[in-house]
Amino acid sequence: MEHEDNHIEIVIHVNMLKEGWDVTNLYTIVPLRAANAGVLVEQTIGRGLRLPYGGERTGVDKVDKLTVVAHDNFEKVIKEAQDPNSVLNKISFIEIDEEDLRNRTVVVTSLPKTEAVFQEEEKKVSEIKDVAQKQIAQNSLDAKKAIIDVLPSFNSFAGVNKFSDFAKPAVKEKVIEKIKEKLNQGQTNLFASQIIEEAEEMYERVVTAYKANIIEIPRMDLVQDEVKVWFEDFDLDTTRGFDFRVMNEEIMRVNLKDNAVDTIGVIQGAFTKETPANQVISELINFPEIDYDENADLLMKITNQAIDTLESKLEEGNKLPLLIRQYRKVIAGKIYDQMKAHFKIGEPDYIEPKVLPFVEIEKWNFSALLNSGTKDYREIITPVSMIPKFVFRGFEKACHYEYKFDSKAEKDLAYILEQDTNIKKWLRPAPNQFRIYWANNSKQYRPDFVVETDNAIYLVETKSSAEMEDPEVADKMKAALKYCKYASDYTKANEGKPWKYLLIPHNEVQISNSFEYFVGRFERKRF
């Protein structure tokens, strides 16, 4: 569905939008059945609100907009979504001062280190004057690119369970075959044979260098299961609100000539074909929260309790069907009012995902001030409110050469990671690096850092100390711990490092502290 050459435009599904659907180029949802309002708002609509181009608005209305074609019940959902407290109606406002508006900015793309090295090598190749030597250098560069380009496509290959498996002769053979296939697609590269020969010769060196510049992040789509909703079993209170009288049913006819009035009796007809209980239940299942299949026993029980009460109050028991026909909507409404007090919404759990051994490191796109927009990460920035405005450089252990930070705590933690001798590599993950969802799959979680030591890999989050007990922080932590569990289960089975989670208060991030200090105090193991 995400490929540019895909021709499918319409997908008909059953419950896919609430159980693992993860396609971002979704623009129109046509719901064809009623469902629980809360579930629809946060799951179904939330799926469609994901932006397809790096999670950013493009300015193109047709790309940025989701259209919901609604039936009557779904219209109620939309109205609920407009509630100021709705997840879909929470908007963050960022105040921009006048000085910022006057400063011109440029877009900075921070490539993963391997790709950044290729850019530097391209510049050197372009400076070679001798044509033959230039072509040899270009073939060597193209061979490196060809290897790196196909490696991520092997994360589901049967013989690759961890990155070191690329050293296996059988895997190397398959990688070279894939390179040959790609070079021979479309317009044939005149130097394909030389490039393939170079790829075979430098394969081990390129794979080793690539591994040194990445963190092996398991690839998984971590999504929450359908939210469980139900009505608790209860007995209907029929002591109030269940007192109706049968109305006379007749049609009055007025003669237009002399205004004479007479009446015509009403024939019961088809109304008598449905039992009184079925008539009431047919009205009850029109309420969006009530699913007949899930609540059939309860509906039948409390409906019969209502009918028994009504029948006991009738002087003529044979008129019960007539009474039900006349008041079935009102009776259903009164039953529904009592059902609402027994309506429960459960906590969604995560679906066990399919885990692949690794995923490529995603690039970053930043905006930076045109003049003096970059700083060395060791530089002290005052006031600290200026930190988010700059792109910082000079990192040696990171998986990119450039990063931006949202706070002083994040910048200081990056400094600690660079200086701490126990840190092998670290990463500030780009928006699409992880596919971890929370808030009934309506939001995507991105940790602040990924940190690799000799013994473990950590997801690290820094938070304001005032927000540590916030429910949203707890929900994100639950998602992060689930990711760490499934990642660790996979790596344990494949001789990899365990994954752990740190949640650090901002006021604890002091450059005099070691990473081991944070591990000892702020590792979270349960939620």
Side-chain angles (χ1 to χ4, degrees), residues 438 463-476 503:
W438 64 288
K463 274 293 172 194
S464 166
S465 57
E467 297 177 350
M468 294 297 286
E469 302 302 322
D470 190 279
E472 286 196 359
V473 175
D475 286 345
K476 290 179 181 180
L503 179 61

Side-chain angles (χ1 to χ4, degrees), residues 294-408:
E294 295 290 332
N295 301 284
D297 292 341
L298 176 63
L299 291 174
M300 186 59 71
K301 169 188 165 183
I302 58 181
T303 299
N304 282 330
Q305 288 174 346
I307 290 172
D308 290 344
T309 298
L310 294 170
E311 186 174 23
S312 68
K313 295 179 179 181
L314 281 176
E315 294 180 1
E316 300 176 68
N318 63 342
K319 287 192 175 182
L320 178 65
L322 179 60
L323 179 74
I324 298 300
R325 178 166 64 82
Q326 291 176 344
Y327 293 100
R328 63 190 185 278
K329 288 183 180 292
V330 179
I331 295 168
K334 291 184 177 297
I335 294 174
Y336 173 67
D337 287 341
Q338 292 192 37
M339 290 183 71
K340 287 192 292 185
H342 300 275
F343 182 65
K344 302 296 179 183
I345 301 177
E347 286 292 324
D349 201 358
Y350 283 89
I351 302 170
E352 184 171 352
K354 177 182 179 181
V355 183
L356 300 177
F358 70 95
V359 63
E360 63 185 321
I361 303 299
E362 298 285 341
K363 66 182 179 181
W364 270 100
N365 289 308
F366 308 121
S367 61
L369 299 175
L370 183 59
N371 298 311
S372 303
T374 59
K375 300 286 185 181
D376 187 280
Y377 78 92
R378 290 164 285 239
E379 189 172 340
I380 297 174
I381 306 298
T382 54
V384 294
S385 60
M386 292 291 291
I387 288 174
K389 299 178 186 294
F390 296 109
V391 173
F392 292 90
R393 293 174 173 169
F395 307 110
E396 295 181 5
K397 296 180 181 179
C399 294
H400 300 80
Y401 287 116
E402 299 167 312
Y403 287 126
K404 290 188 80 171
F405 302 105
D406 297 324
S407 65
K408 181 177 184 296

Side-chain angles (χ1 to χ4, degrees), residues 15 83 157 167 174 189 198 228 233-234 248 277-278 298 358 377 394 401 422 452 466 468 483 502 508 525:
N15 291 341
D83 187 294
F157 183 67
K174 292 293 183 182
N189 191 312
E198 283 280 342
K228 303 299 181 184
D233 186 41
F234 72 100
N248 291 327
N278 285 347
L298 176 63
F358 70 95
Y377 78 92
Y401 287 116
N422 292 317
E452 182 175 357
M468 294 297 286
Y483 179 91
L502 304 183
E508 291 284 348
K525 298 181 180 180

Side-chain angles (χ1 to χ4, degrees), residues 118 121 136-150 175-176 179 183 189 191-203 206:
F118 289 160
E121 195 168 335
I136 292 172
Q138 186 64 53
N139 291 344
S140 177
L141 177 58
D142 289 344
K144 294 176 186 176
K145 286 183 176 180
I147 295 170
I148 298 304
D149 186 46
V150 302
V175 172
I176 298 300
I179 293 171
L183 286 174
N189 191 312
F191 301 95
S193 59
Q194 292 93 321
I195 294 171
I196 292 168
E197 186 178 333
E198 283 280 342
E200 290 176 334
E201 192 275 328
M202 65 173 59
Y203 176 84
V206 173

Side-chain angles (χ1 to χ4, degrees), residues 38-39 42-44 47 224-225 227 346 348 438-443:
V39 174
E42 293 191 353
Q43 288 190 322
T44 307
R47 300 280 181 181
Q224 291 175 309
D225 201 352
V227 177
W438 64 288
N440 293 327
N441 298 319
S442 65
K443 296 181 180 180

